[in-house]
Amino acid sequence: MKRVLSIAVVVLMIFSAMNMFAGGQKESAKDGTIVIGANIYSFADNFMNGVMKPELERYAKEKGAKIEIVDSEGQQAKLNDQVDVFITKKVSVLAINLVDPAAAGTIIAKAKAAKIPLILFNKEATEAGAMASYDKVWYVGTNSAESGIIQGQMMVADWKANPSWDKNGDGTVQYVLLKGEPGHPDAEARTRESVKAFVDAGIKVEQLALEADPNWSTQHGNDKMAAWLTSGFGNKIELVICNNDGMAFGAINALKAAKVALPLYGVDALDQALTHIADGEMNGTVLNDGVNQSRATLDLAINAAQGKPVTEGTAWSLTSDGTKAVRVPYLPVTPKNYKEFRK
Ligand code: BGC
Ligand code: CA
């Protein structure tokens, strides 16, 4: 009897060792390297492709991790399939830039079913309860409202300092606004907060036009600005508010082509924006620190893949508001300080 029992114990031990081995294989490539399955919602996006993607690649290398970054081409259905492929390949961890922030639940459910940790970055989930539905999902991004508040404060200060900007002298800011992706927390918060800064400062505002673009693109900025300039209200525009630099670049092109100069602001602080500020074609932007957002994404991903507390040994901390998020601060970039942001 004793013997039968001890054989049973040995068999059990062998089985659990085999299980551990299988589990261990899932966590990493055969040589122990952490494999990160990542995407960018669209490689056509200036900020994502120009700032975040190169740093994700560079920093993964520095950390000795392997990263595969795929292009979701602005299609959530495509991203869903890409995540399925990553899961089949048994990546150690997922780093996902949602296409549709309202589709977070689908991705989280996939990761949870496969028991793979998930870091969402740049586009915060908008579905209530999505983040709470899995204990191994976290978010890396910003506090969206902060960018609008900073941009708004810059615009208010400049408006007050430049009475000639009120072209028709009615004490009201006649503005046009390039919004970016409808439903994107950054686009929504920037639109709300930048305009609110004027209202809070006791300055009246009149929106002449607002256009959204899911791709936040330069082409869109160019086309809309050109159309606005030749519209019935073209000569009434006193301020151009752009929710990102990519669209601002297009608006600047259109203004130059029409030989019109208008105060214009963006968000992101891309290198080209710093040049436009130097050339007096842009009045300000807001640093969206994609380099640090990329690093935080990977630091959390690597810890999560190893089953460690996600911020352990890193420069980051999770917000205390229960959103399981690391939020990298925004900074104002003006004609006075833009040189500090040059690389
Ligand atoms: C950036 C935009 C970018 C968007 C993509 C925002 O945080 O400011 O430039 O297009 O993220 O999701
Ligand atoms: Ca006016």
Side-chain angles (χ1 to χ4, degrees):
M1 186 63 186
K2 250 193 180 166
R3 206 170 144 189
V4 174
L5 257 180
S6 58
I7 289 172
V9 167
V10 168
V11 168
L12 263 175
M13 278 168 62
I14 291 171
F15 259 97
S16 59
M18 278 168 67
N19 268 333
M20 266 169 64
F21 180 67
Q25 266 211 334
K26 184 181 205 167
E27 301 283 308
S28 57
K30 290 202 179 59
D31 62 355
T33 310
I34 289 169
V35 181
I36 303 159
N39 80 307
I40 295 288
Y41 89 94
S42 165
F43 281 6
D45 183 295
N46 302 45
F47 172 74
M48 298 309 298
N49 197 51
V51 183
M52 291 211 67
K53 183 164 163 277
E55 183 61 16
L56 284 168
E57 285 162 346
R58 191 204 65 77
Y59 195 64
K61 207 176 249 173
E62 183 182 316
K63 290 278 157 181
K66 262 177 80 178
I67 190 164
E68 185 187 342
I69 308 180
V70 294
D71 182 0
S72 303
E73 295 175 18
Q75 300 161 39
Q76 182 62 39
K78 182 161 195 129
L79 171 57
N80 294 345
D81 293 345
Q82 290 166 330
V83 167
D84 289 340
V85 173
F86 282 141
I87 289 173
T88 312
K89 286 186 182 171
K90 295 189 170 26
V91 294
S92 332
V93 57
L94 291 160
I96 298 300
N97 177 208
L98 295 168
V99 177
D100 178 0
T106 312
I107 302 294
I108 295 172
K110 284 180 190 292
K112 185 178 179 181
K115 296 196 177 62
I116 296 179
L118 167 65
I119 312 296
L120 297 173
F121 67 98
N122 168 259
K123 259 191 225 185
E124 189 160 13
T126 52
E127 276 165 303
M131 295 300 285
S133 68
Y134 183 30
D135 62 344
K136 292 195 168 49
V137 59
W138 294 269
Y139 176 67
V140 173
T142 61
N143 173 352
S144 299
E146 196 178 78
S147 49
I149 293 169
I150 293 175
Q151 192 196 45
Q153 285 167 346
M154 286 193 300
M155 295 192 297
V156 167
D158 292 350
W159 178 267
K160 285 184 176 164
N162 293 281
S164 66
W165 287 9
D166 185 8
K167 291 199 295 195
N168 64 353
D170 67 349
T172 299
V173 190
Q174 274 79 23
Y175 71 90
V176 291
L177 193 149
L178 290 164
K179 175 173 172 172
E181 181 189 344
H184 188 310
D186 290 352
E188 297 299 337
R190 288 172 193 170
T191 303
R192 191 177 59 242
E193 298 296 335
S194 61
V195 174
K196 186 169 169 286
F198 283 102
V199 178
D200 289 351
I203 301 166
K204 282 181 279 174
V205 288
E206 183 189 349
Q207 180 183 292
L208 297 176
L210 177 151
E211 287 282 349
D213 170 27
N215 302 312
W216 303 73
S217 77
T218 299
Q219 188 62 51
H220 166 84
N222 183 89
D223 296 351
K224 292 305 151 193
M225 192 71 235
W228 290 336
L229 285 170
T230 54
S231 73
F233 58 80
N235 59 354
K236 293 200 185 119
I237 305 171
E238 296 174 339
L239 174 70
V240 184
I241 307 175
C242 308
N243 282 347
N244 82 340
D245 286 348
M247 296 185 297
F249 301 157
I252 290 170
N253 283 343
L255 285 165
K256 276 183 169 172
K259 298 196 169 48
V260 175
L262 284 174
L264 182 147
Y265 296 80
V267 175
D268 283 340
L270 301 182
D271 291 346
Q272 191 183 331
L274 304 181
T275 305
H276 285 306
I277 292 177
D279 294 346
E281 294 164 343
M282 204 167 165
N283 299 72
T285 185
V286 182
L287 174 70
N288 185 6
D289 191 347
V291 168
N292 276 314
Q293 289 169 57
S294 296
R295 291 178 192 172
T297 299
L298 292 193
D299 283 338
L300 267 63
I302 291 168
N303 272 340
Q306 294 172 321
K308 293 183 188 164
V310 276
T311 57
E312 188 176 286
T314 73
W316 322 111
S317 49
L318 295 174
T319 45
S320 54
D321 56 7
T323 53
K324 300 200 281 180
V326 167
R327 300 186 190 277
V328 178
Y330 286 105
L331 289 172
V333 182
T334 67
K336 286 203 185 84
N337 74 354
Y338 74 93
K339 287 194 182 115
E340 296 163 28
F341 298 89
R342 281 205 158 139
K343 281 167 204 114

